[in-house]
Amino acid sequence: MAENNNNDAPFEPEGLVFDCDGTLIDSMHFFWHSWSIVMPKYGIELSKKRFFSFAGIPVTDIISSLIEEQFADGTREKPSVEEIIKEKKVIVAEDKKTNPPGIIPCVVDIVKKYHGKIPMAVASSGTKEHVTEDLERNGLTGYFDAIITCEDVVNGKPAPDIFLLACKKINVAPEKCFGYEDADVGMQSLKSAGIHAIDVRLMDEYPHKL
């Protein structure tokens, strides 16, 4: 099983674990819209390039780090993380009504290929509400034996916890699994967990190349 020459498979997996945003669901470009509107309103600088570099990191952690970085001199009052998230959610909800994110076909093809043959799990830094909604809307929920999100672990990516829990839920040892990711922190998380890491950004048919 080799997606391309950069992701050569050293063995046949007994289980598969997948990130969600940017891996199964084509959502990174979709989410940028809400960030591009809300961040400037609160005086937070964030370029699109930097936003993509945060892929795999929980939203709360991203906003908190940006605030600590850009308001460190104490000359401005720090905005509320909770208020920023609240405003972002309103925009995302409206966007999903008009143009919701779809799938990453080349990755979903792998899911369909192995469905019913070996156990599979989703391990996402997103919230359970968001992840399950996107999977359900795209008809993917039934393909997975477990769905693990940021609420299920104490330490998010790049810590290995979320992927280790996913392997535990599907009852397959990490070293016998393949993991699929689109983010550097996610790749680090997979490797720390001892899972064979596949960077979907290197797959020939991935829509958003590195």
Side-chain angles (χ1 to χ4, degrees):
M1 174 186 173
E3 277 62 56
N4 67 18
N5 293 333
N6 295 305
N7 283 320
D8 290 339
F11 58 90
E12 191 66 20
E14 296 182 18
L16 303 179
V17 291
F18 296 83
D19 173 51
C20 186
D21 290 311
T23 300
L24 292 167
I25 305 296
D26 193 2
S27 52
M28 290 302 292
H29 288 271
F30 169 85
F31 282 119
W32 167 244
H33 182 235
S34 65
W35 287 86
S36 67
I37 293 174
V38 177
M39 293 299 104
K41 179 178 177 180
Y42 286 89
I44 300 172
E45 295 181 6
L46 178 65
S47 68
K48 189 173 186 179
K49 181 177 180 180
R50 192 171 187 201
F51 166 68
F52 275 83
S53 75
F54 286 129
I57 300 175
V59 170
T60 301
D61 293 348
I62 296 172
I63 297 172
S64 297
S65 66
L66 288 171
I67 291 173
E68 289 304 314
E69 169 193 300
Q70 297 183 28
F71 291 77
D73 60 9
T75 59
R76 296 181 294 163
E77 183 179 352
K78 292 182 179 180
S80 164
V81 174
E82 292 74 20
E83 284 300 315
I84 293 174
I85 291 175
K86 183 179 179 180
E87 289 199 31
K88 280 182 74 292
K89 283 184 176 180
V90 171
I91 296 171
V92 168
E94 288 300 314
D95 287 347
K96 283 188 176 182
K97 292 178 183 178
T98 57
N99 189 30
I103 63 169
I104 303 284
C106 59
V107 181
V108 172
D109 284 347
I110 296 169
V111 173
K112 292 179 178 179
K113 175 182 176 181
Y114 282 88
H115 178 57
K117 299 176 182 178
I118 59 175
M120 296 185 289
V122 173
S124 171
S125 295
T127 64
K128 194 169 294 292
E129 177 185 8
H130 148 66
V131 171
T132 54
E133 177 187 0
D134 281 347
L135 293 174
E136 287 173 0
R137 187 180 59 252
N138 287 284
L140 295 178
T141 309
Y143 287 97
F144 298 102
D145 302 283
I147 297 174
I148 310 301
T149 64
C150 62
E151 292 104 326
D152 298 312
V153 294
V154 174
N155 302 306
K157 302 173 187 178
D161 304 32
I162 197 165
F163 285 116
L164 290 174
L165 180 58
C167 291
K168 182 178 180 180
K169 291 292 185 180
I170 62 174
N171 198 31
V172 180
E175 63 271 17
K176 296 181 179 180
C177 288
F178 284 2
Y180 295 81
E181 262 286 358
D182 73 302
D184 293 342
V185 293
M187 292 293 289
Q188 183 180 342
S189 179
L190 283 168
K191 292 172 183 177
S192 296
I195 298 170
H196 178 69
I198 296 177
D199 191 335
V200 300
R201 297 170 295 183
L202 301 179
M203 292 170 63
D204 293 335
E205 287 128 5
Y206 188 73
H208 311 297
K209 295 294 184 182
L210 280 169

